[in-house]
Amino acid sequence: MKYAILFASKKGGTRKVSEWINEKLGTENSVLIDLGNNQEPDLNAYDTIIIGGPIYAGNLYEPVKKYLDQNSSKLIEKHLGLFICGMNEAEEDAQLERAFPESLRHYAVAMAYLGGEFDFKKLNWFERFLVKRITGTRASVENYKKEAIDEFVKKLSTH
């Protein structure tokens, strides 16, 4: 089985998660494709397509959203895995639903919310202000869902 992991990452968290997924699937069987740099990857050589992106202010990061809008019909022809990264666990189901069109969710063999981080060193002053105001978080915090990542990879590799 050959895997393509398509992602875009604004502050590096989704890249981290994509790299962990890549390692768990076996780097000899999978490739990372940054949609921030490549909106037209050739996916013909891959059996399974995994797509992920971060959620900002309740919305999927634009490079991922744009790719999905332009390629949904091609994606349903492959085994499909969908994931988001974010820090609002209370809204994870709603965010997954808003992030991915129903047509893709219907065909996905795995779908997951995989956590995220607020890295205050990578946030500008306005982003830090918003994080503090909205979440009450006053310092960098990391909350990746390692077990969810393992379960996500397991579902992908057994289909």
Side-chain angles (χ1 to χ4, degrees), residues 10-12 16 117-125 127-128 131-132 138-142:
K10 188 172 182 179
K11 301 292 182 185
K16 233 185 250 189
E117 68 181 64
F118 293 129
D119 185 342
F120 275 54
K121 292 178 292 208
K122 293 180 181 176
L123 301 176
N124 65 39
W125 71 270
E127 291 167 329
R128 284 191 304 274
V131 168
K132 289 176 185 177
R138 303 253 176 251
S140 294
V141 62
E142 192 174 283

Side-chain angles (χ1 to χ4, degrees), residues 69-123:
D69 289 346
Q70 295 173 352
N71 295 284
S72 289
S73 60
K74 293 179 203 167
L75 294 170
I76 61 175
E77 298 171 3
K78 304 273 188 175
H79 283 95
L80 187 61
L82 305 170
F83 74 91
I84 57 172
C85 293
M87 291 293 285
N88 188 351
E89 271 185 88
E91 292 289 317
E92 67 182 77
D93 291 334
Q95 288 179 344
L96 275 165
E97 194 170 304
R98 278 193 310 270
F100 301 108
E102 194 279 326
S103 60
L104 292 181
R105 293 192 320 269
H106 176 76
Y107 284 98
V109 296
M111 204 167 64
Y113 168 90
L114 301 178
E117 68 181 64
F118 293 129
D119 185 342
F120 275 54
K121 292 178 292 208
K122 293 180 181 176
L123 301 176

